[in-house]
Amino acid sequence: MPIKTVFPKPGVAILLLLHTVFIALNSLTVQAQNRKKLTDNQLLDTVQKRTFQYFWQGADPVSGMAHERIHMDGVYPENDKNTIATGASGFGVMVILVGMERHFITRKQGTERFKKIVGFLEKADRFHGAYAHWMLPDGKSKAFGKTDNGGDLVETSFLMQGLLCVRQYYANGNSEEKQLAARIDKIWKGVDYNWYRQGGKNVLYWHWSPQYNWIENFPVQGYNECLILYVLAASSPTHTIPASVYHEGWARSGGIETNIKPYGYLITLKHNVVGETVGPLFWAHYSYLGLNPKGLKDEYADYWLNNRNTTLINRAYCIQDPKKYTGYGENCWGLTASYSVNGYAAHAPNVKDDLGVIAPTAAISSYPYTPKESMQVIRYLYEGLGDKVWGEYGFYDAFSETANWYPKKYLGIDQGPEIVMIENGRTGLLWKLFMSCPEVKSGLKKLGFSSPNIN
């Protein structure tokens, strides 16, 4: 006997559909209301904990290092899903310290992860002590560009900044932890900063390749994100540089100095490329994840003032919004290097480099400099834009309300500073650890810096 199929009457089907839609909308309303109930501290906890997972669950399972990028759709046009990023991994080890201190993981779990990372770094390709920009899970370098397949001294310095924080964290630990700190110390002392002067020149060079030698020929001169490179080079107990390399190379024999006031905010460091304004906001973040800018001064700048003013200029530009993009304002600002509508771009507060793309890391990682203003942005992103910009590993890398563009993609080098700088704004954890390094104190003094943290 045939089975008789019974369909609901059209009226019933419509009622069922409306009921389902009502439940979904009600659920979204409840979620939105719950989001708005969070205090500032609860919201900061939420952002840190969720973003932490990029470097924990999302880390390379073999090495424990940070992936260059994670795309939630699983599509990787450059076939780089398993690519490890040296600089992002330096930020990542600092993130793990935050996770331990905030009890996202146990101290034992963090220590085991660090042992995995250090074991990987001990065996990975090195080029006069420097690591490549990108690596593969087997420790081999992966070319960042055709002739850039060797040492990257800048990315290595971001990594060393983080590892030194880990070393200091474990300096007075148990025997297992002290042994880990000693292994990190050996890696740090193996970086031959002096080699990267290309035969004794008074400037440091970004790259060296065993196949292409110095063909990249990229002298690192200020001002950009690379101050930490010179600080660590001067601090190295094994391969240090004289102060003249900093003053003639990085500071360009005084050419780094300027005196401008975009939007009324004083800037005394001449930012590369951008002219009479400031660069992308990551220039105020990467070197200062461990290097504490509070009270840090030399003959060229007051670094706290410079970084805070750089942030306020960026914010003021977005509030003015000269290109009339949708969404820009007090609740939504922050231009930095990130994904963009047409590929990767270094967004900055000037008409040429403003493409209508906001990167959450810009304002979030500026939290120590502008806590109130950054908090406004965090709330807007979390409560206002919600799941458009919020996912498994925290806020996605970038978006454009003008272009209705909300890609579900992450970049490790943007995620890391969010957690670290929020923590520095809250407790100063990473600043305290890095500035406690005796060789860093000596290196800063050698270069002519003053700071209440090195006296």
Side-chain angles (χ1 to χ4, degrees):
M1 185 175 179
I3 298 173
K4 185 178 180 181
T5 304
V6 179
F7 295 98
K9 294 178 181 180
V12 175
I14 292 171
L15 287 173
L16 288 172
L17 177 61
L18 289 173
H19 181 66
T20 302
V21 171
F22 173 78
I23 291 173
L25 289 173
N26 187 58
S27 176
L28 290 173
T29 301
V30 171
Q31 288 180 31
Q33 289 173 345
N34 287 339
R35 283 179 172 175
K36 291 181 180 179
K37 289 179 181 178
L38 296 180
T39 66
D40 283 357
N41 277 329
Q42 288 171 331
L43 181 50
L44 291 174
D45 287 343
T46 300
V47 172
Q48 285 186 297
K49 189 172 185 178
R50 183 72 71 90
T51 311
F52 168 80
Q53 295 303 331
Y54 183 99
F55 301 92
W56 192 251
Q57 292 181 353
D60 175 65
V62 177
S63 65
M65 299 274 279
H67 284 127
E68 167 71 8
R69 65 189 86 243
I70 296 179
H71 294 173
M72 301 312 293
D73 60 5
V75 177
Y76 294 86
E78 302 299 321
N79 193 31
D80 56 358
K81 180 179 180 180
N82 297 318
T83 298
I84 290 166
T86 297
S89 294
F91 303 165
V93 298
M94 302 167 98
V95 165
I96 293 170
L97 291 174
V98 175
M100 293 161 66
E101 285 295 294
R102 294 216 165 259
H103 305 293
F104 303 157
I105 54 172
T106 65
R107 187 179 179 104
K108 182 64 176 176
Q109 286 176 307
T111 302
E112 289 302 312
R113 177 61 62 86
F114 286 133
K115 286 165 67 176
K116 178 184 282 191
I117 290 170
V118 169
F120 170 81
L121 291 172
E122 288 171 333
K123 297 176 182 177
D125 285 348
R126 300 184 77 173
F127 306 89
H128 294 276
Y131 294 96
H133 187 120
W134 284 340
M135 291 184 275
L136 298 171
D138 63 1
K140 299 298 181 184
S141 68
K142 177 180 179 178
F144 187 71
K146 183 178 179 181
T147 59
D148 180 10
N149 64 346
D152 185 313
L153 199 59
V154 173
E155 297 293 313
T156 296
S157 294
F158 295 150
L159 176 61
M160 294 304 136
Q161 180 179 215
L163 287 176
L164 284 172
C165 289
V166 179
R167 186 195 73 180
Q168 295 303 100
Y169 188 82
Y170 286 126
N172 297 313
N174 60 36
S175 58
E176 178 189 28
E177 294 171 345
K178 287 180 179 177
Q179 183 181 20
L180 180 59
R183 292 168 65 191
I184 291 172
D185 191 59
K186 186 175 180 181
I187 291 172
W188 149 240
K189 289 177 178 176
V191 183
D192 191 347
Y193 282 96
N194 197 51
W195 163 266
Y196 282 82
R197 291 170 63 193
Q198 198 181 133
K201 297 178 182 177
N202 272 351
V203 67
L204 289 169
Y205 285 79
W206 200 306
H207 317 89
W208 179 80
S209 160
Q211 285 80 31
Y212 302 103
N213 206 23
W214 301 104
I215 195 171
E216 290 279 324
N217 198 37
F218 195 143
V220 184
Q221 298 175 307
Y223 183 73
N224 52 27
E225 76 273 26
C226 302
L227 176 62
I228 192 68
L229 164 63
Y230 280 87
V231 170
L232 289 175
S235 302
S236 172
T238 49
H239 304 285
T240 193
I241 59 168
S244 57
V245 179
Y246 173 73
H247 294 291
E248 294 180 28
W250 171 255
R252 294 182 280 123
S253 299
I256 197 173
E257 295 178 278
T258 190
N259 194 313
I260 58 173
K261 287 187 176 180
Y263 296 96
Y265 298 108
L266 176 66
I267 296 292
T268 63
L269 294 171
K270 190 173 185 179
H271 288 218
N272 292 344
V273 182
V274 294
E276 294 298 296
T277 182
V278 295
L281 263 179
F282 75 92
W283 290 7
H285 304 149
Y286 291 1
S287 282
Y288 306 97
L289 300 184
L291 180 64
N292 189 348
K294 284 188 175 180
L296 186 69
K297 301 176 183 179
D298 68 359
E299 62 187 274
Y300 310 110
D302 174 328
Y303 289 85
W304 179 261
L305 180 67
N306 189 78
N307 289 350
R308 175 172 162 77
N309 284 354
T310 294
T311 307
L312 290 170
I313 289 165
N314 196 294
R315 179 176 181 269
Y317 172 90
C318 289
I319 291 172
Q320 184 189 51
D321 190 15
K323 298 180 80 170
K324 306 305 176 188
Y325 288 123
T326 302
Y328 278 30
E330 290 184 351
N331 293 327
C332 192
W333 53 269
L335 306 176
T336 191
S338 68
Y339 279 120
S340 194
V341 179
N342 296 309
Y344 188 81
H347 310 104
N350 63 76
V351 172
K352 178 176 71 72
D353 297 315
D354 173 19
L355 305 179
V357 173
I358 296 294
T361 187
I364 296 172
S365 300
S366 296
Y367 178 74
Y369 308 128
T370 52
K372 179 182 176 182
E373 296 87 348
S374 291
M375 205 69 222
Q376 280 184 269
V377 177
I378 294 171
R379 284 210 172 272
Y380 174 71
L381 297 175
Y382 187 73
E383 298 173 1
L385 295 181
D387 291 339
K388 284 185 176 181
V389 298
W390 176 255
E392 185 174 348
Y393 301 124
F395 294 114
Y396 297 121
D397 188 63
F399 64 92
S400 173
E401 293 189 64
T402 298
N404 193 30
W405 176 76
Y406 300 93
K408 296 183 177 181
K409 298 178 179 180
Y410 295 100
L411 286 174
I413 208 161
D414 285 343
Q415 297 306 107
E418 293 180 25
I419 305 169
V420 173
M421 289 302 261
I422 286 175
E423 193 61 35
N424 279 332
R426 300 178 87 180
T427 68
L429 174 66
L430 290 312
W431 285 342
K432 291 173 185 175
L433 288 169
F434 185 76
M435 298 302 286
S436 72
C437 296
E439 62 268 57
V440 169
K441 296 176 187 287
S442 297
L444 287 168
K445 289 177 181 177
K446 178 198 289 189
L447 299 183
F449 282 89
S450 63
S451 164
N453 298 293
I454 64 176
N455 294 334

